[in-house]
Amino acid sequence: MKNISILGSTGSIGTNALEIIRELKNEFNVIALTANSNYKFLAKQIKEFKPKYVAIGTEEGYKFLKNEFNNIEIFYGKEGLKEIGKLNETDIILTAVSGAIGLEATIEAIKKEKRIALANKETMVAGGDYINSLLKKYKAEIIPVDSEHSALFQSLLAGKDKEVKNLVLTGSGGTFRGKTIEFLKNVELEDALKHPNWSMGKKITIDSSTLINKGLEVIEAHQLFNIDYDKIKVVIHPQSIIHSMVEFVDNSIVAQMGVPDMKIPIQYAFSYPERLENKIIDRLDFMKYSNLTFEEVDNKVFRGIELAFFAGKIGKSMPIVFNAANEMAVELFLNNKIKFLDIYKIIENEMNNHKTINIDNLNVILEVDREIRDKIRREYL
Ligand SMILES: NC(=O)C1=CN([C@@H]2O[C@H](COP(=O)(O)OP(=O)(O)OC[C@H]3O[C@@H](n4cnc5c(N)ncnc54)[C@H](OP(=O)(O)O)[C@@H]3O)[C@@H](O)[C@H]2O)C=CC1
Ligand SMILES: CC(=O)[C@@H](O)[C@H](O)COP(=O)(O)O
Ligand SMILES: [Mn+2]
């Protein structure tokens, strides 16, 4: 039996993970669950999965849960997430919070030498260098949950590191694939929230529509697999059936395929190196997907990938700026404060005005992140 803690259990990834745990209750046990403001949904999860620990992000939620439950330990706020990261009883922590807010709790779990089932890509983008320095000191392991990075992780098992020629990240192209800049000038939020293949949280869905999600995934792949940026390629694959591929030096390509369902990479991160049967996961019907296609990225219209390569290749504090500016821009777009193309403008502006600095410790990461968010908040709110 493996003890699972979930940072962000009330979201898309978190609820998918609980479906798996419900189905495979002889394999997995819930130790801790967390949410930000959705305390009523969290309360329902607590009643069903009976965790020993819980963290909640709002005072209202904290008071409600304290009143509702007297047999669990309830933590509050950002410090509360860190307390969940520190839990000794955890075997595997699933980082399913949205945004770099997951960074500190992830670091605590690394210091406790846990398995991190990492969905929270922003943590790897903003804190990747620091996290990799910690992985040299602590025997923690990161198993990627992000579908492309789970595919790369599985495909890399087919060869040795020195035999890798390229990592090939696939991307759906997002809901506006094939559109012009003129069309994007006036897109509505509700249109940007329609992903062609995946059902996901709002932030990542907007990131998919700008292709900044793919950009974040480029940096995430560099950090997770220690591969140079010039060996990370992106190809548009509108069907999202091939979840990414590894090209080896013999020009052989190994890919991972499956239905676009996050339960597959989540469960794999829990069960690795084994694989488990699970009847709630659909099989791929090849006849339904008899037409798998590939396209070039349209970097002229969708700037997210090139902006990410720019940030990643500079490194140090620049990926922190890229991620923080994007998180703030997406929040502004979700609140109808800016137009779609302003997302690129805000990111570009912050990166152009940033003087890159070395990242010697966690406080520098948090300071750079905070400065960018405060600056954008002052300008737009
Ligand atoms: N959804 C998907 O299919 C995929 C997601 N990912 C990555 O996984 C992560 C989660 O994505 P997703 O599940 O879609 O996100 P959701 O928005 O659906 O869920 C986010 C979760 O994090 C919690 N949360 C949000 N902000 C905070 C905060 N400031 N403090 C504490 N908790 C917070 C939310 O709580 P509350 O409910 O109370 O708001 C919720 O439980 C992201 O990093 C995303 O990029 C990667 C690949 C696929
Ligand atoms: C399911 C998952 O991993 C998401 O990151 C998804 O890949 C987003 O789709 P795009 O390929 O459109 O970015
Ligand atoms: Mn992904």
Side-chain angles (χ1 to χ4, degrees):
M1 180 75 81
K2 293 182 188 170
N3 287 335
I4 312 273
S5 290
I6 302 178
L7 298 183
S9 59
T10 51
S12 166
I13 290 286
T15 49
N16 269 295
L18 288 172
E19 280 184 55
I20 291 163
I21 295 169
R22 181 184 294 124
E23 195 60 32
L24 300 178
K25 50 173 67 70
N26 297 332
E27 299 283 344
F28 307 115
N29 170 54
V30 172
I31 279 287
L33 299 172
T34 86
N36 186 35
S37 57
N38 199 345
Y39 60 84
K40 289 210 173 106
F41 187 25
L42 181 61
K44 270 180 73 180
Q45 294 179 335
I46 293 168
K47 285 178 184 146
E48 178 180 356
F49 292 94
K50 302 181 177 44
K52 289 175 71 175
Y53 309 94
V54 149
I56 187 68
T58 61
E59 200 174 335
E60 182 188 3
Y62 181 73
K63 285 181 183 153
F64 176 88
L65 295 171
K66 283 300 265 186
N67 184 47
E68 194 76 10
F69 302 101
N70 52 26
N71 58 344
I72 56 173
E73 186 148 7
I74 302 171
F75 297 110
Y76 170 56
K78 189 171 173 183
E79 287 308 308
L81 278 184
K82 283 171 68 175
E83 290 307 314
I84 302 297
K86 289 177 188 170
L87 291 175
N88 288 313
E89 292 143 280
T90 298
D91 294 313
I92 302 171
I93 185 164
L94 171 62
T95 63
V97 287
S98 182
I101 188 71
L103 175 63
E104 291 180 86
T106 304
I107 288 167
E108 294 301 339
I110 289 171
K111 290 179 176 173
K112 292 286 184 169
E113 302 192 322
K114 302 300 179 186
R115 171 179 289 189
I116 289 99
L118 189 126
N120 180 227
K121 66 191 80 180
E122 296 91 343
T123 281
M124 215 58 204
V125 170
D129 287 346
Y130 183 66
I131 283 175
N132 283 324
S133 71
L134 292 178
L135 292 174
K136 292 192 176 92
K137 279 169 65 182
Y138 299 93
K139 288 198 297 301
E141 61 174 346
I142 295 182
I143 310 291
V145 167
D146 202 347
S147 68
E148 296 81 3
H149 305 75
S150 178
L152 292 170
F153 181 86
Q154 296 179 56
S155 303
L156 281 164
L157 296 173
K160 298 186 185 72
D161 289 358
K162 64 178 175 39
E163 296 165 344
V164 175
K165 187 179 216 175
N166 289 309
L167 300 184
V168 182
L169 270 174
T170 54
S172 74
T175 188
F176 299 131
R177 180 172 60 88
K179 300 296 186 196
T180 63
I181 289 186
E182 207 46 43
F183 177 90
L184 294 181
K185 277 183 179 152
N186 299 304
V187 292
E188 299 292 333
L189 172 58
E190 60 180 324
D191 296 323
L193 285 171
K194 291 175 192 146
H195 194 282
N197 303 319
W198 298 93
S199 162
M200 309 183 287
K202 287 184 177 177
K203 193 250 177 195
I204 186 174
T205 304
I206 299 300
D207 285 344
S208 295
S209 69
T210 59
L211 267 64
I212 286 169
N213 180 57
K214 219 41 66 184
L216 292 165
E217 294 182 347
V218 165
I219 299 173
E220 184 186 7
H222 166 75
Q223 293 292 11
L224 284 172
F225 305 118
N226 189 26
I227 297 276
D228 292 344
Y229 282 102
D230 59 3
K231 291 187 173 180
I232 299 174
K233 311 299 177 191
V234 179
V235 65
I236 300 302
H237 166 51
Q239 297 79 26
S240 301
I241 293 298
I242 297 173
H243 299 307
S244 279
M245 306 175 258
V246 175
E247 182 182 15
F248 289 99
V249 291
D250 58 358
N251 291 340
S252 175
I253 306 259
V254 176
Q256 187 266 339
M257 296 170 71
V259 294
D261 179 345
M262 281 306 290
K263 289 193 280 295
I264 295 177
I266 294 169
Q267 179 174 297
Y268 184 72
F270 289 174
S271 67
Y272 173 78
E274 274 76 46
R275 289 178 186 273
L276 299 172
E277 267 191 280
N278 192 334
K279 63 176 185 304
I280 63 167
I281 295 177
D282 293 338
R283 294 183 64 203
L284 177 66
D285 172 357
F286 285 93
M287 294 313 118
K288 193 176 157 215
Y289 292 101
S290 55
N291 185 20
L292 300 183
T293 59
F294 302 97
E295 298 170 11
E296 300 244 306
V297 177
D298 183 347
N299 287 305
K300 286 205 177 15
V301 174
F302 300 97
R303 319 274 305 295
I305 294 170
E306 285 195 338
L307 287 170
F309 271 111
F310 173 82
K313 287 176 179 176
I314 292 176
K316 300 181 180 174
S317 53
M318 195 58 89
I320 304 167
V321 175
F322 172 71
N323 179 70
N326 179 59
E327 284 193 39
M328 289 305 292
V330 171
E331 191 181 319
L332 290 167
F333 180 66
L334 285 170
N335 290 292
N336 293 306
K337 301 278 187 212
I338 60 170
K339 294 178 107 22
F340 185 79
L341 292 175
D342 293 332
I343 294 173
Y344 297 132
K345 271 194 215 128
I346 288 173
I347 296 169
E348 214 165 17
N349 181 49
E350 293 309 325
M351 292 208 287
N352 288 341
N353 291 321
H354 178 66
K355 193 174 169 312
T356 308
I357 58 170
N358 287 328
I359 302 298
D360 305 320
N361 57 58
L362 174 58
N363 287 333
V364 176
I365 299 172
L366 299 175
E367 189 45 43
V368 171
D369 179 84
R370 191 173 23 252
E371 266 169 29
I372 296 297
R373 292 173 197 264
D374 290 350
K375 182 166 174 291
I376 295 170
R377 214 172 269 123
R378 283 195 301 273
E379 278 169 30
Y380 286 86
L381 292 175

